[in-house]
């Protein structure tokens, strides 16, 4: 894997600015890939890595930039847990590690560099120098991942009996009476209709 500086350049390009979150995400990517033995996530090993991120903030962009995983390629998965955490999974060995930024890492910046006035600078300096153990909780995990979650062509497609919209890759639910429904129709979604659809 490239040096942290090289990775940070890539992060800045994708994310549009440099911030403590980029550093944290880039370091997570380095540790995560090392522990599951992925050496070249953006090159030779690019088909072997799947990453789950648990927050939609700066860190998520950095993990994506540093490892090359993308939502549109199905190599990046997002669960909205509001946690600065990511799980790195090797599709061949099935090894996975989940890495969580420690709450203590926030206080570390204030303790180490009280003389630096800007909080973001204190954090950036600290997140660069601190050890992995000072910054992260790291745990071996098993992930729920199957063929329907894998990159590549859609595995299946059905039509929701309620809204008529197509649903890929087994994301439908089978309701009472055997009706095939999309998740928003069956379970409730993030939107609700406020006018009759067109056409
Ligand atoms: Zn940022
Ligand atoms: Zn539906």
């Amino acid at each position: 894997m490239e040096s942290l500086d090289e990775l940070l350049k890539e992060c800045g390009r994708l994310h549009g600015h440099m911030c403590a979150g980029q550093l944290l995400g880039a370091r997570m990517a380095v540790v995560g890939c090392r522990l599951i033995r992925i050496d070249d996530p953006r090159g030779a090993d690019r088909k072997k890595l799947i990453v789950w991120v648990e927050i939609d903030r700066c860190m998520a962009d950095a993990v994506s930039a540093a490892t090359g995983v993308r939502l549109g390629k199905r190599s990046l998965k997002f669960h909205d847990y509001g946690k600065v955490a990511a799980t790195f999974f090797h599709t061949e060995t099935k090894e996975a590690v989940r890495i969580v930024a420690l709450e203590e890492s926030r206080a570390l910046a204030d303790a180490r560099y009280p003389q630096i006035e800007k909080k973001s600078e204190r954090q950036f300096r600290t997140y660069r120098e601190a050890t992995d153990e000072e910054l992260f909780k790291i745990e071996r995990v098993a992930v729920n991942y199957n063929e329907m979650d894998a990159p590549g062509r859609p595995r299946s497609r059905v039509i929701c009996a309620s809204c008529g919209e197509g649903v890929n890759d087994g994301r439908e639910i089978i309701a009472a009476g055997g009706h095939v429904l999309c998740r928003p129709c069956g379970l409730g979604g993030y939107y609700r209709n406020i006018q009759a659809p067109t056409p």
Side-chain angles (χ1 to χ4, degrees):
M1 208 155 164
E2 295 116 307
S3 69
L4 191 61
D5 283 321
E6 287 298 314
L7 293 175
L8 284 174
K9 263 187 232 158
E10 194 62 33
C11 293
R13 256 200 298 278
L14 181 87
H15 186 59
H17 67 244
M18 192 37 66
C19 60
Q22 298 307 291
L23 192 45
L24 217 48
R27 288 200 55 177
M28 277 184 171
V30 170
V31 188
C33 288
R34 190 181 71 227
L35 290 176
I36 60 168
R37 287 170 288 176
I38 295 256
D39 297 324
D40 189 9
R42 289 195 281 143
D45 294 330
R46 71 185 181 284
K47 297 215 164 134
K48 299 176 189 164
L49 178 66
I50 305 282
V51 180
W52 284 256
V53 291
E54 299 182 16
I55 200 164
D56 49 356
R57 290 198 174 271
C58 298
M59 172 281 259
D61 275 354
V63 168
S64 176
T67 61
V69 297
R70 298 277 183 275
L71 196 61
K73 287 198 228 154
R74 303 194 98 204
S75 50
L76 176 63
K77 315 285 189 190
F78 169 54
H79 285 276
D80 199 358
Y81 294 167
K83 294 186 185 185
V84 183
T87 294
F88 299 79
F89 172 66
H90 193 305
T91 57
E92 288 173 6
T93 66
K94 313 295 180 204
E95 279 185 291
V97 285
R98 180 169 176 267
I99 303 173
V100 192
L102 290 172
E103 287 305 301
E104 296 82 55
S105 67
R106 293 164 174 258
L108 201 62
D110 299 332
R112 246 181 224 194
Y113 291 110
Q115 76 278 16
I116 299 178
E117 206 171 303
K118 257 180 99 185
K119 185 180 170 198
S120 56
E121 250 169 69
R122 281 201 300 275
Q123 286 181 330
F124 199 82
R125 281 276 284 275
T126 307
Y127 294 167
R128 198 179 180 95
E129 298 165 0
T131 63
D132 293 335
E133 291 70 28
E134 285 174 313
L135 291 181
F136 305 127
K137 177 177 87 172
I138 300 172
E139 55 195 3
R140 294 267 166 191
V141 294
V143 289
N144 296 325
Y145 176 86
N146 63 42
E147 180 59 21
M148 288 293 200
D149 304 317
R153 293 166 58 86
R155 305 308 194 277
S156 69
R157 185 171 174 83
V158 297
I159 302 299
C160 172
S162 175
C163 68
E165 296 175 7
V167 179
N168 283 1
D169 296 307
R171 267 48 180 176
E172 67 273 18
I173 57 169
I174 310 296
H179 293 295
V180 173
L181 296 177
C182 69
R183 288 178 178 181
C185 287
L187 305 169
Y190 69 89
Y191 61 89
R192 62 196 165 82
N193 291 102
I194 55 170
Q195 64 173 124
T198 53

